[in-house]
CSV table of all heavy atoms in Angstrom, one decimal:
chain,number,residue,atom,x,y,z
A,1,SER,N,120.7,-28.7,-195.0
A,1,SER,CA,121.3,-28.4,-193.7
A,1,SER,C,122.3,-29.4,-193.2
A,1,SER,O,123.2,-29.1,-192.5
A,1,SER,CB,120.2,-28.4,-192.6
A,1,SER,OG,119.2,-27.3,-192.9
A,2,SER,N,122.2,-30.7,-193.7
A,2,SER,CA,123.2,-31.7,-193.4
A,2,SER,C,124.5,-31.5,-194.2
A,2,SER,O,125.4,-32.3,-194.0
A,2,SER,CB,122.6,-33.1,-193.6
A,2,SER,OG,122.4,-33.3,-195.0
A,3,GLY,N,124.6,-30.5,-195.1
A,3,GLY,CA,125.8,-30.3,-195.8
A,3,GLY,C,125.8,-30.8,-197.2
A,3,GLY,O,126.9,-30.7,-197.9
A,4,LEU,N,124.8,-31.4,-197.7
A,4,LEU,CA,124.7,-31.9,-199.0
A,4,LEU,C,124.6,-30.8,-200.0
A,4,LEU,O,123.7,-29.9,-199.8
A,4,LEU,CB,123.5,-32.9,-199.2
A,4,LEU,CG,123.5,-33.9,-200.4
A,4,LEU,CD1,124.7,-34.9,-200.2
A,4,LEU,CD2,122.2,-34.6,-200.4
A,5,PRO,N,125.4,-30.8,-201.1
A,5,PRO,CA,125.2,-29.7,-202.1
A,5,PRO,C,123.8,-29.7,-202.7
A,5,PRO,O,123.1,-30.7,-202.7
A,5,PRO,CB,126.2,-30.0,-203.2
A,5,PRO,CG,127.3,-30.9,-202.4
A,5,PRO,CD,126.5,-31.6,-201.4
A,6,LEU,N,123.3,-28.5,-203.1
A,6,LEU,CA,122.0,-28.4,-203.6
A,6,LEU,C,121.7,-29.3,-204.8
A,6,LEU,O,120.6,-29.9,-204.9
A,6,LEU,CB,121.7,-26.9,-204.0
A,6,LEU,CG,120.3,-26.6,-204.6
A,6,LEU,CD1,119.2,-26.9,-203.5
A,6,LEU,CD2,120.2,-25.1,-205.0
A,7,GLU,N,122.7,-29.4,-205.7
A,7,GLU,CA,122.4,-30.3,-206.9
A,7,GLU,C,122.2,-31.7,-206.5
A,7,GLU,O,121.3,-32.4,-207.0
A,7,GLU,CB,123.6,-30.2,-207.8
A,7,GLU,CG,123.8,-28.8,-208.5
A,7,GLU,CD,124.6,-27.8,-207.6
A,7,GLU,OE1,124.9,-28.2,-206.4
A,7,GLU,OE2,124.8,-26.7,-208.0
A,8,ARG,N,123.0,-32.2,-205.5
A,8,ARG,CA,122.9,-33.6,-205.1
A,8,ARG,C,121.6,-33.8,-204.3
A,8,ARG,O,120.9,-34.8,-204.4
A,8,ARG,CB,124.1,-34.0,-204.2
A,8,ARG,CG,125.4,-34.1,-205.0
A,8,ARG,CD,126.5,-34.6,-204.2
A,8,ARG,NE,126.2,-35.9,-203.6
A,8,ARG,CZ,127.0,-36.5,-202.6
A,8,ARG,NH1,128.1,-35.9,-202.2
A,8,ARG,NH2,126.7,-37.7,-202.2
A,9,ALA,N,121.2,-32.8,-203.5
A,9,ALA,CA,119.9,-32.8,-202.8
A,9,ALA,C,118.8,-32.9,-203.8
A,9,ALA,O,117.8,-33.7,-203.6
A,9,ALA,CB,119.8,-31.6,-201.9
A,10,LEU,N,118.8,-32.1,-204.8
A,10,LEU,CA,117.7,-32.2,-205.8
A,10,LEU,C,117.7,-33.5,-206.5
A,10,LEU,O,116.7,-34.1,-206.9
A,10,LEU,CB,117.9,-31.1,-206.8
A,10,LEU,CG,117.6,-29.7,-206.3
A,10,LEU,CD1,117.9,-28.6,-207.3
A,10,LEU,CD2,116.2,-29.5,-205.8
A,11,THR,N,118.9,-34.1,-206.8
A,11,THR,CA,119.0,-35.4,-207.4
A,11,THR,C,118.4,-36.5,-206.6
A,11,THR,O,117.6,-37.3,-207.0
A,11,THR,CB,120.5,-35.7,-207.7
A,11,THR,OG1,121.0,-34.7,-208.6
A,11,THR,CG2,120.6,-37.1,-208.4
A,12,ALA,N,118.7,-36.4,-205.3
A,12,ALA,CA,118.1,-37.4,-204.4
A,12,ALA,C,116.6,-37.3,-204.3
A,12,ALA,O,115.9,-38.3,-204.3
A,12,ALA,CB,118.7,-37.2,-203.0
A,13,LEU,N,116.1,-36.1,-204.2
A,13,LEU,CA,114.6,-35.9,-204.2
A,13,LEU,C,113.9,-36.3,-205.5
A,13,LEU,O,112.8,-36.8,-205.5
A,13,LEU,CB,114.3,-34.4,-203.9
A,13,LEU,CG,114.6,-33.9,-202.5
A,13,LEU,CD1,114.3,-32.5,-202.3
A,13,LEU,CD2,113.9,-34.8,-201.4
A,14,SER,N,114.6,-36.1,-206.6
A,14,SER,CA,114.1,-36.5,-207.9
A,14,SER,C,114.0,-38.0,-208.0
A,14,SER,O,113.0,-38.6,-208.5
A,14,SER,CB,114.9,-35.9,-209.0
A,14,SER,OG,114.5,-36.4,-210.3
A,15,ASP,N,115.1,-38.7,-207.5
A,15,ASP,CA,115.1,-40.1,-207.6
A,15,ASP,C,114.1,-40.8,-206.6
A,15,ASP,O,113.6,-41.9,-206.9
A,15,ASP,CB,116.5,-40.6,-207.3
A,15,ASP,CG,117.5,-40.2,-208.3
A,15,ASP,OD1,117.1,-39.9,-209.4
A,15,ASP,OD2,118.7,-40.2,-208.0
A,16,GLU,N,113.8,-40.1,-205.5
A,16,GLU,CA,113.0,-40.7,-204.5
A,16,GLU,C,111.5,-40.4,-204.7
A,16,GLU,O,110.6,-40.9,-203.9
A,16,GLU,CB,113.4,-40.3,-203.1
A,16,GLU,CG,114.8,-40.9,-202.7
A,16,GLU,CD,114.8,-42.4,-202.7
A,16,GLU,OE1,113.8,-43.0,-202.3
A,16,GLU,OE2,115.9,-43.0,-203.1
A,17,ALA,N,111.2,-39.5,-205.6
A,17,ALA,CA,109.8,-39.0,-205.8
A,17,ALA,C,108.9,-40.1,-206.3
A,17,ALA,O,109.3,-40.9,-207.2
A,17,ALA,CB,109.8,-37.8,-206.8
A,18,ASP,N,107.8,-40.3,-205.6
A,18,ASP,CA,106.8,-41.3,-206.0
A,18,ASP,C,106.0,-40.9,-207.3
A,18,ASP,O,105.7,-41.7,-208.1
A,18,ASP,CB,105.8,-41.6,-204.9
A,18,ASP,CG,106.5,-42.2,-203.7
A,18,ASP,OD1,107.5,-42.9,-203.9
A,18,ASP,OD2,106.1,-41.9,-202.5
A,19,ASP,N,105.7,-39.6,-207.4
A,19,ASP,CA,105.0,-39.1,-208.5
A,19,ASP,C,105.9,-38.8,-209.7
A,19,ASP,O,106.9,-38.1,-209.5
A,19,ASP,CB,104.2,-37.8,-208.1
A,19,ASP,CG,103.3,-37.3,-209.2
A,19,ASP,OD1,103.1,-38.0,-210.2
A,19,ASP,OD2,102.8,-36.2,-209.0
A,20,GLU,N,105.6,-39.3,-210.8
A,20,GLU,CA,106.5,-39.0,-212.0
A,20,GLU,C,106.5,-37.5,-212.4
A,20,GLU,O,107.6,-37.0,-212.7
A,20,GLU,CB,105.9,-39.8,-213.2
A,20,GLU,CG,106.8,-39.7,-214.4
A,20,GLU,CD,106.3,-40.6,-215.6
A,20,GLU,OE1,105.2,-41.2,-215.4
A,20,GLU,OE2,106.9,-40.6,-216.7
A,21,ARG,N,105.4,-36.8,-212.2
A,21,ARG,CA,105.4,-35.4,-212.5
A,21,ARG,C,106.3,-34.6,-211.6
A,21,ARG,O,107.0,-33.7,-212.0
A,21,ARG,CB,104.0,-34.8,-212.5
A,21,ARG,CG,103.1,-35.4,-213.6
A,21,ARG,CD,101.6,-35.0,-213.3
A,21,ARG,NE,101.5,-33.6,-213.5
A,21,ARG,CZ,100.8,-32.8,-212.7
A,21,ARG,NH1,100.2,-33.4,-211.6
A,21,ARG,NH2,100.7,-31.5,-212.9
A,22,GLN,N,106.3,-35.0,-210.3
A,22,GLN,CA,107.2,-34.4,-209.3
A,22,GLN,C,108.6,-34.7,-209.6
A,22,GLN,O,109.5,-33.8,-209.5
A,22,GLN,CB,106.8,-34.9,-207.9
A,22,GLN,CG,107.6,-34.2,-206.8
A,22,GLN,CD,107.2,-34.7,-205.4
A,22,GLN,OE1,106.0,-35.0,-205.2
A,22,GLN,NE2,108.1,-34.7,-204.5
A,23,SER,N,108.9,-35.9,-210.0
A,23,SER,CA,110.3,-36.3,-210.4
A,23,SER,C,110.8,-35.4,-211.5
A,23,SER,O,111.9,-35.0,-211.6
A,23,SER,CB,110.4,-37.8,-210.7
A,23,SER,OG,111.7,-38.1,-211.1
A,24,HIS,N,109.9,-35.2,-212.6
A,24,HIS,CA,110.3,-34.5,-213.7
A,24,HIS,C,110.5,-33.0,-213.3
A,24,HIS,O,111.4,-32.3,-213.8
A,24,HIS,CB,109.2,-34.6,-214.8
A,24,HIS,CG,109.2,-35.9,-215.5
A,24,HIS,ND1,108.4,-36.2,-216.5
A,24,HIS,CD2,110.0,-37.0,-215.3
A,24,HIS,CE1,108.6,-37.4,-216.9
A,24,HIS,NE2,109.6,-37.9,-216.2
A,25,LEU,N,109.7,-32.5,-212.5
A,25,LEU,CA,109.8,-31.1,-212.1
A,25,LEU,C,111.1,-30.8,-211.3
A,25,LEU,O,111.8,-29.9,-211.6
A,25,LEU,CB,108.6,-30.7,-211.2
A,25,LEU,CG,108.7,-29.3,-210.5
A,25,LEU,CD1,108.7,-28.2,-211.6
A,25,LEU,CD2,107.5,-29.1,-209.6
A,26,VAL,N,111.4,-31.7,-210.4
A,26,VAL,CA,112.7,-31.6,-209.6
A,26,VAL,C,113.9,-31.7,-210.5
A,26,VAL,O,114.9,-31.1,-210.4
A,26,VAL,CB,112.7,-32.6,-208.4
A,26,VAL,CG1,114.0,-32.4,-207.6
A,26,VAL,CG2,111.5,-32.3,-207.5
A,27,ALA,N,113.8,-32.7,-211.5
A,27,ALA,CA,114.9,-32.8,-212.5
A,27,ALA,C,115.1,-31.6,-213.3
A,27,ALA,O,116.2,-31.2,-213.6
A,27,ALA,CB,114.6,-34.0,-213.4
A,28,ALA,N,114.0,-30.9,-213.6
A,28,ALA,CA,114.1,-29.6,-214.4
A,28,ALA,C,114.7,-28.6,-213.5
A,28,ALA,O,115.6,-27.8,-214.0
A,28,ALA,CB,112.7,-29.2,-214.8
A,29,LEU,N,114.4,-28.5,-212.2
A,29,LEU,CA,115.0,-27.6,-211.3
A,29,LEU,C,116.5,-27.8,-211.2
A,29,LEU,O,117.4,-26.9,-211.3
A,29,LEU,CB,114.4,-27.7,-209.9
A,29,LEU,CG,112.9,-27.2,-209.8
A,29,LEU,CD1,112.4,-27.5,-208.4
A,29,LEU,CD2,112.8,-25.7,-210.1
A,30,ARG,N,116.9,-29.1,-211.1
A,30,ARG,CA,118.3,-29.5,-211.0
A,30,ARG,C,119.0,-29.1,-212.3
A,30,ARG,O,120.2,-28.6,-212.3
A,30,ARG,CB,118.4,-31.0,-210.8
A,30,ARG,CG,119.8,-31.5,-210.6
A,30,ARG,CD,119.9,-33.0,-210.6
A,30,ARG,NE,119.4,-33.5,-211.9
A,30,ARG,CZ,119.0,-34.8,-212.1
A,30,ARG,NH1,119.0,-35.6,-211.1
A,30,ARG,NH2,118.6,-35.2,-213.3
A,31,ALA,N,118.4,-29.3,-213.5
A,31,ALA,CA,119.0,-29.0,-214.7
A,31,ALA,C,119.3,-27.5,-214.8
A,31,ALA,O,120.4,-27.0,-215.3
A,31,ALA,CB,118.2,-29.4,-215.9
A,32,GLU,N,118.3,-26.7,-214.4
A,32,GLU,CA,118.5,-25.2,-214.4
A,32,GLU,C,119.6,-24.7,-213.5
A,32,GLU,O,120.4,-23.8,-213.8
A,32,GLU,CB,117.2,-24.5,-214.1
A,32,GLU,CG,116.1,-24.8,-215.2
A,32,GLU,CD,114.7,-24.4,-214.8
A,32,GLU,OE1,114.6,-23.7,-213.8
A,32,GLU,OE2,113.8,-24.7,-215.5
A,33,VAL,N,119.7,-25.4,-212.3
A,33,VAL,CA,120.7,-25.0,-211.3
A,33,VAL,C,122.1,-25.4,-211.9
A,33,VAL,O,123.1,-24.7,-211.8
A,33,VAL,CB,120.4,-25.7,-210.0
A,33,VAL,CG1,121.6,-25.5,-209.0
A,33,VAL,CG2,119.2,-25.1,-209.3
A,34,ASN,N,122.2,-26.6,-212.5
A,34,ASN,CA,123.4,-27.0,-213.1
A,34,ASN,C,123.9,-26.2,-214.2
A,34,ASN,O,125.1,-26.0,-214.5
A,34,ASN,CB,123.3,-28.5,-213.6
A,34,ASN,CG,123.3,-29.5,-212.4
A,34,ASN,OD1,123.8,-29.2,-211.3
A,34,ASN,ND2,122.8,-30.7,-212.7
A,35,ALA,N,122.9,-25.5,-214.9
A,35,ALA,CA,123.2,-24.7,-216.0
A,35,ALA,C,123.7,-23.3,-215.6
A,35,ALA,O,124.0,-22.4,-216.4
A,35,ALA,CB,122.0,-24.5,-216.9
A,36,GLY,N,123.7,-23.1,-214.2
A,36,GLY,CA,124.3,-21.8,-213.7
A,36,GLY,C,123.2,-20.9,-213.1
A,36,GLY,O,123.6,-19.8,-212.6
A,37,SER,N,122.0,-21.3,-213.2
A,37,SER,CA,120.9,-20.4,-212.6
A,37,SER,C,120.9,-20.5,-211.1
A,37,SER,O,121.2,-21.6,-210.5
A,37,SER,CB,119.5,-20.8,-213.2
A,37,SER,OG,118.5,-20.2,-212.6
A,38,THR,N,120.4,-19.5,-210.4
A,38,THR,CA,120.2,-19.6,-209.0
A,38,THR,C,119.0,-20.4,-208.7
A,38,THR,O,118.1,-20.6,-209.6
A,38,THR,CB,120.1,-18.2,-208.4
A,38,THR,OG1,118.9,-17.6,-208.9
A,38,THR,CG2,121.3,-17.3,-208.7
A,39,PHE,N,118.9,-21.0,-207.5
A,39,PHE,CA,117.8,-21.8,-207.2
A,39,PHE,C,116.5,-21.0,-207.2
A,39,PHE,O,115.5,-21.5,-207.6
A,39,PHE,CB,118.1,-22.4,-205.8
A,39,PHE,CG,117.0,-23.5,-205.4
A,39,PHE,CD1,116.5,-24.4,-206.4
A,39,PHE,CD2,116.6,-23.6,-204.1
A,39,PHE,CE1,115.6,-25.3,-206.0
A,39,PHE,CE2,115.7,-24.6,-203.7
A,39,PHE,CZ,115.2,-25.4,-204.7
């Protein structure tokens, strides 16, 4: 909502995640979005 692109928002959430499994999951989501998939 603040105007940050979805890819950068997912990157921020992945970097700030305390749980390693959550970080990996968000990174996988970001990779799929970067590959052209819809969110």
Side-chain angles (χ1 to χ4, degrees):
S1 298
S2 64
L4 198 66
L6 179 61
E7 294 82 358
R8 291 182 60 186
L10 291 174
T11 300
L13 291 178
S14 175
D15 294 340
E16 295 298 324
D18 296 328
D19 185 8
E20 185 178 1
R21 295 171 64 225
Q22 181 177 330
S23 177
H24 287 183
L25 174 61
V26 179
L29 292 174
R30 182 190 62 195
E32 292 167 12
V33 171
N34 286 339
S37 174
T38 63
F39 188 37

